[in-house]
Amino acid sequence: MVDIVRHCVYGVLVRLVVIIYGTFHDKMSAVQYTDVDYRVFTDAARHILEGNSPYDRHTYRYTPLLAYVLVPNILLHTVWGKVFFSLVDVLVALLTLSLVNDSTLSVKCALAWLYNPLAIVIATRGNADSISAALVLATLVLLQKNKVVLAGVVHALAIHVRLYPLAFSLPMYLSLQTSNKAKKKTSFLSSLIPNRDQICLVSSCVGFLAFVTGVFYWLYGYEFLYESLLYHLGRRDIRHNFSVYFYMLYLNSHTPDSILQKVVMFAPQALLLLALSFVYGSKRHLLFCVLTQAYVMVTYNPVMTSQYFIWFISLIPPSFPNINLSTSRWVALGALWGSAQLAWLLPAYWLEFRGRDTFIFVWLQGVAFFSANVAVLAQLIRAYKYHERENKKIE
């Protein structure tokens, strides 16, 4: 325990050093280290401090809670939010420690997150996705400890902060099946018939989500519903977007989405999420199920930016003990994923910072990155410990 406390202190110090570097970098370079969204959060916090709506800040499309949390950016110092996100990022490592039952591996799994360069960069640039990652992991910890009502409340908060945890609701619900029902094969409909724990999970989640939504609707009206919820359902992004759908969105940027286009974009994702829920929707497999679902949502999403990677990367360390891949195989998969992402950055840089028409090249690299993500996900599923081949480590 002493080791992990010491490493958490080191993790905080590393993040503080990067935050300080980022402050100087922003002053010296045209290419800013700080995420543009961080400036949006800060402006929204300023509006709240002035007694106005956070949505008076154009492009603020998040929960008002985030703007409230960043009020100290105005009162104390502009790096407050980055420090807060970094502390939450360290909390993710501690939650990982709680999720791993193997005491010999738990610290290593926590350190894999604590010193993850991508996690450090995302948090210190001022992106808030460490909060979502922490809430998802906290929900899983509470379900593991059979604190169902509290798990429902935290899950509702996770959905309020970011919509993507909503996809985890079905496997979480299925994981609370009674042991006899979970062991024997059941029909689709019978598996959905609720027991006491499932009713508690659903009622606490829906109740708290309705309460939070109602409070902010009362404060900020329809603008809150649209900007923080409805906007994201039909969001388009024709810049800094890794998605395989990037070029299609660019070509149709001036026309509304057709029904066919929506089916093309969302049907594969929805079918995969449903299939994963019923294949891995049990208490034993819940963590891996949530990992694969998060990976599918990011890979198949019409909008994919760097911070979205936190959705599934935060779930990989606690899943390490249940994935039978050798160190060399992990390195190879990481290299494949990283090189495909880096290859995308060159045409994206020419597009965004030099104004060159490289849309087709950005899309082609997006296709390559999509293929790399599918390959990595397939390897993770194949190497999952509880499959028939669990006795042989994949070399």
Side-chain angles (χ1 to χ4, degrees):
M1 188 64 186
V2 175
D3 284 343
I4 191 62
V5 172
R6 185 175 73 250
H7 280 290
C8 284
V9 173
Y10 293 160
V12 171
L13 291 176
V14 167
R15 286 161 173 79
L16 290 177
V17 169
V18 178
I19 289 171
I20 293 170
Y21 159 77
T23 302
F24 286 102
H25 178 98
D26 288 346
K27 293 178 180 178
M28 297 182 295
S29 176
V31 180
Q32 299 285 283
Y33 179 78
T34 300
D35 194 309
V36 65
D37 283 345
Y38 187 70
R39 306 184 195 284
V40 174
F41 302 158
T42 303
D43 289 344
R46 184 177 292 106
H47 282 299
I48 281 183
L49 201 58
E50 294 170 351
N52 301 316
S53 167
Y55 302 105
D56 289 344
R57 199 318 180 170
H58 180 59
T59 74
Y60 183 77
R61 297 187 173 103
Y62 306 91
T63 169
L65 286 174
L66 188 55
Y68 284 119
V69 168
L70 265 67
V71 164
N73 272 22
I74 312 301
L75 298 177
L76 300 177
H77 197 283
T78 54
V79 301
W80 154 259
K82 294 181 180 181
V83 174
F84 177 77
F85 298 151
S86 296
L87 292 175
V88 174
D89 205 40
V90 173
L91 175 62
V92 171
L94 295 175
L95 290 167
T96 297
L97 191 73
S98 299
L99 274 172
V100 179
N101 295 321
D102 189 331
S103 58
T104 60
L105 293 175
S106 59
V107 173
K108 293 180 180 178
C109 294
L111 296 184
W113 176 261
L114 199 57
Y115 296 114
N116 184 323
L118 182 61
I120 293 171
V121 168
I122 293 295
T124 56
R125 288 188 69 215
N127 187 274
D129 275 272
S130 59
I131 297 176
S132 300
L135 289 171
V136 169
L137 290 178
T139 305
L140 293 172
V141 169
L142 291 168
L143 286 173
Q144 192 178 75
K145 295 182 178 181
N146 295 316
K147 296 181 179 180
V148 178
V149 173
L150 191 54
V153 171
V154 176
H155 183 50
L157 185 58
I159 295 169
H160 173 76
V161 172
R162 273 288 209 181
L163 282 177
Y164 80 90
L166 181 64
F168 307 148
S169 301
L170 179 57
M172 287 177 178
Y173 175 88
L174 294 175
S175 73
L176 294 175
Q177 294 180 86
T178 55
S179 57
N180 291 333
K181 189 176 180 181
K183 286 180 181 178
K184 64 182 181 180
K185 292 184 178 180
T186 58
S187 66
F188 173 80
L189 292 178
S190 61
S191 66
L192 296 178
I193 298 174
N195 58 31
R196 181 177 177 275
D197 284 344
Q198 289 170 323
I199 292 172
C200 288
L201 179 70
V202 173
S203 57
S204 60
C205 179
V206 173
F208 188 75
L209 187 59
F211 169 75
V212 175
T213 303
V215 168
F216 286 123
Y217 182 78
W218 175 66
L219 289 173
Y220 304 115
Y222 177 77
E223 191 175 28
F224 152 70
L225 285 181
Y226 177 78
E227 297 291 355
S228 66
L229 299 172
L230 302 178
Y231 168 82
H232 297 281
L233 299 178
R235 178 186 172 188
R236 294 183 178 192
D237 198 337
I238 59 171
R239 290 183 181 272
H240 51 268
N241 187 358
F242 290 92
S243 176
V244 71
Y245 300 114
F246 164 80
Y247 200 53
M248 181 180 71
L249 293 175
Y250 166 65
L251 294 176
N252 293 283
S253 58
H254 298 296
T255 59
D257 292 341
S258 65
I259 295 177
L260 178 60
Q261 185 174 323
K262 288 183 179 294
V263 169
V264 168
M265 289 192 295
F266 293 106
Q269 182 180 161
L271 290 172
L272 286 169
L273 292 176
L274 190 62
L276 290 167
S277 293
F278 282 97
V279 171
Y280 297 115
S282 66
K283 192 167 186 176
R284 184 185 189 188
H285 304 299
L286 180 60
L287 178 57
F288 186 72
C289 183
V290 171
L291 166 60
T292 54
Q293 285 194 320
Y295 211 134
V296 164
M297 277 189 287
V298 174
T299 300
Y300 287 82
N301 207 45
V303 177
M304 187 200 308
T305 56
S306 296
Q307 60 263 34
Y308 287 18
F309 303 148
I310 297 298
W311 299 3
F312 65 86
I313 290 177
S314 61
L315 293 160
I316 291 178
S319 301
F320 275 150
N322 296 327
I323 299 175
N324 271 347
L325 288 174
S326 64
T327 302
S328 60
R329 194 68 172 176
W330 276 113
V331 171
L333 291 178
L336 171 65
W337 185 82
S339 59
Q341 184 181 165
L342 288 173
W344 178 91
L345 291 175
L346 180 60
Y349 169 80
W350 283 99
L351 173 63
E352 292 195 39
F353 294 101
R354 296 299 181 89
R356 300 293 180 85
D357 183 5
T358 58
F359 283 98
I360 186 67
F361 298 104
V362 171
W363 173 66
L364 288 173
Q365 292 297 343
V367 172
F369 188 45
F370 172 81
S371 301
N373 275 298
V374 171
V376 171
L377 179 58
Q379 286 297 310
L380 294 179
I381 292 174
R382 182 168 175 261
Y384 184 50
K385 182 177 179 179
Y386 294 111
H387 286 315
E388 293 179 1
R389 300 174 66 180
E390 68 179 74
N391 294 325
K392 293 184 179 181
K393 183 169 283 191
I394 299 173
E395 300 292 343

